[in-house]
Amino acid sequence: MAKNRGAVVIDIERCKGCQLCKEACPSKVLSMNIEANSKGYHYAYMEVTEACTGCASCAYVCPDACITVYRVKND
Amino acid sequence: MTLEEIIKPENRIYGKTPLLTETPMHYCPGCSHGVVHKLIAEVIEEMNIAEKTVGIAPVGCAVFAYNYIDIDWQEAAHGRAPALATAVKRLNPDNCVFTYQGDGDLAAIGTAETIHACNRGENIAIFFINNGIYGMTGGQMAPTTLEGMKTATCPNGRDVSMEGYPLKISDMLAILDGTCYVTRQAVHTAAATARTKKAIRKALENSMNSKGTSVVEIVSTCNSGWKMTPHQANKWMVENMFPAYPLGDLKDR
Ligand SMILES: Cc1ncc(C[n+]2csc(CCOP(=O)(O)OP(=O)(O)O)c2C)c(N)n1
Ligand code: SF4
Ligand code: SF4
Ligand code: SF4
Ligand SMILES: [Mg+2]
């Protein structure tokens, strides 16, 4: 099955832990870290790494432009 | 494939535009203002017009917008952004000029400036963040506050017999001959951000091409003022704001 495989990198210090990325992810990849950044926000991270398709929905809705998206064709 | 194999520069498909500065935005977590800033910066970057674009920042939560998008800015007095934009664009007709305004700014104290700039057909884009509340000052009722919606100054909900009806100002602006493009959008989903981005682009192109005034209303959340989580605020917006402020183009000529 040809499918995109993706990954996201989250700028931990920019993240405000709003969870909008987590809610927007159709593949339920993202969760909030139990650790907090220097401002005390529980930042987002990839919990289910293998489910990411690189669709970038999370990044489009992130109000703080924290998310960089990578995608490869996987066949 | 391992994450290391995927996370390589040649596979990067989306990330922060360099036109958004490294300064962390002061907005509350999950605030729509951040998404709209990001989209405006992306469009300016893609149109390659950063050197000739001038933004007019409002009074309201977006008062520091000039810290976040690396273009030239002017700061207007509360509600006066369309008047200042008029001056900037008339004096520099080759510039792309936009205002960025909240609903208190645009539809309360700045009503006259807004209507007359649109009626004169000033060649500016107006980006109008309608979150139905005065966010910055602590969540007071705005002209756009929904019927029954609770705010600090209508704690029992807006009573239309006392305080009037939610002001559909974009619909009013659409009937003016000076406006060329009036649309209402949102930024709560990936698909909505894509539509808003197109609308922002069209509005900035209209300013460059001197087609008249463009108004892009973005129905937004103020999760702090609404006293909800960001996700709850998005749901509440869909269920309550969209029926009063339906999305879509009101005018495109
Ligand atoms: C002349 C003047 N009157 C009143 C104020 C107080 N004030 C500051 S922001 C604001 C309203 C902001 O609401 P809005 O424009 O909706 O922006 P938001 O914060 O919701 O994005 C008011 C009334 C002011 N700064 N100047
Ligand atoms: S890129 Fe798509 S699949 Fe991957 S985390 Fe973001 S929303 Fe989820
Ligand atoms: S949307 Fe952005 S700011 Fe919000 S939790 Fe996700 S990465 Fe952090
Ligand atoms: S008060 Fe409301 S509009 Fe202002 S930054 Fe916070 S959430 Fe955004
Ligand atoms: Mg407001």
Side-chain angles (χ1 to χ4, degrees):
Chain A
M1 185 177 65
K3 197 181 161 203
N4 287 314
R5 279 291 320 272
V8 297
V9 173
I10 291 161
D11 184 335
I12 291 170
E13 280 305 314
R14 263 187 101 92
C15 175
K16 294 178 186 160
C18 74
Q19 308 197 12
L20 289 179
C21 54
K22 174 182 158 181
E23 299 291 349
C25 175
S27 308
K28 306 247 176 292
V29 172
L30 302 171
S31 274
M32 309 318 289
N33 206 304
I34 195 153
E35 304 288 334
N37 64 17
S38 69
K39 296 198 182 95
Y41 292 126
H42 294 282
Y43 52 89
Y45 78 106
M46 289 181 87
E47 187 181 38
V48 192
T49 52
E50 61 282 3
C52 179
T53 61
C55 70
S57 294
C58 55
Y60 294 141
V61 301
C62 172
D64 287 279
C66 309
I67 305 181
T68 308
V69 185
Y70 298 84
R71 185 164 63 201
V72 291
K73 281 263 192 271
N74 184 3
D75 34 32
Chain B
M1 236 179 187
T2 65
L3 285 184
E4 287 69 36
E5 289 170 303
I6 301 171
I7 301 171
K8 289 181 179 164
E10 62 268 32
N11 296 331
R12 183 185 184 279
I13 59 149
Y14 184 77
K16 183 176 98 47
T17 159
L19 212 57
L20 266 188
T21 64
E22 294 301 319
T23 311
M25 293 192 264
H26 70 284
Y27 300 115
C28 304
C31 176
S32 305
H33 276 301
V35 188
V36 181
H37 282 26
K38 192 175 69 170
L39 296 176
I40 293 172
E42 287 174 6
V43 172
I44 293 172
E45 173 83 30
E46 286 164 22
M47 288 173 71
N48 199 18
I49 54 169
E51 291 302 319
K52 50 176 155 182
T53 303
V54 182
I56 314 293
V59 170
C61 278
V63 68
F64 297 132
Y66 50 75
N67 284 333
Y68 307 134
I69 305 178
D70 191 11
I71 55 171
D72 285 334
W73 288 87
Q74 298 239 351
E75 174 65 55
H78 199 13
R80 277 43 168 175
L84 192 48
T86 297
V88 172
K89 180 67 179 177
R90 287 190 179 200
L91 291 167
N92 307 278
D94 295 335
N95 280 0
C96 180
V97 180
F98 71 87
T99 72
Y100 185 103
Q101 301 178 258
D103 47 325
D105 190 85
L106 179 143
I109 193 168
T111 310
E113 285 76 5
T114 302
I115 288 178
H116 288 292
C118 288
N119 194 50
R120 294 190 306 268
E122 300 296 340
N123 295 310
I124 60 173
I126 294 177
F127 301 131
F128 165 33
I129 311 303
N130 179 8
N131 53 18
I133 203 161
Y134 288 3
M136 184 199 206
T137 42
Q140 293 82 5
M141 183 176 62
T144 46
T145 297
L146 301 180
E147 181 173 356
M149 180 174 168
K150 290 180 180 157
T151 73
T153 46
C154 51
N156 299 319
R158 182 178 188 161
D159 174 357
V160 297
S161 73
M162 288 289 286
E163 290 122 17
Y165 294 88
L167 186 61
K168 298 177 190 336
I169 194 157
S170 293
D171 299 75
M172 292 165 57
L173 299 175
I175 64 168
L176 301 178
D177 292 332
T179 51
C180 57
Y181 178 50
V182 182
T183 188
R184 199 183 280 118
Q185 301 292 337
V187 292
H188 60 310
T189 63
T193 61
R195 285 190 288 272
T196 298
K197 193 169 165 179
K198 273 198 190 133
I200 289 169
R201 182 165 185 134
K202 184 178 276 191
L204 293 182
E205 284 172 354
N206 288 344
S207 172
M208 291 295 282
N209 299 330
S210 297
K211 277 189 72 179
T213 314
S214 301
V215 180
V216 180
E217 173 177 344
I218 296 116
V219 183
S220 295
T221 64
C222 168
N223 61 78
S224 289
W226 296 1
K227 306 198 189 309
M228 297 175 195
T229 67
H231 179 59
Q232 281 170 344
N234 272 342
K235 278 180 68 177
W236 193 88
M237 174 179 71
V238 172
E239 287 162 15
N240 298 280
M241 293 282 280
F242 288 2
Y245 303 110
L247 305 191
D249 287 352
L250 297 162
K251 180 179 194 177
D252 189 6
R253 71 155 163 79

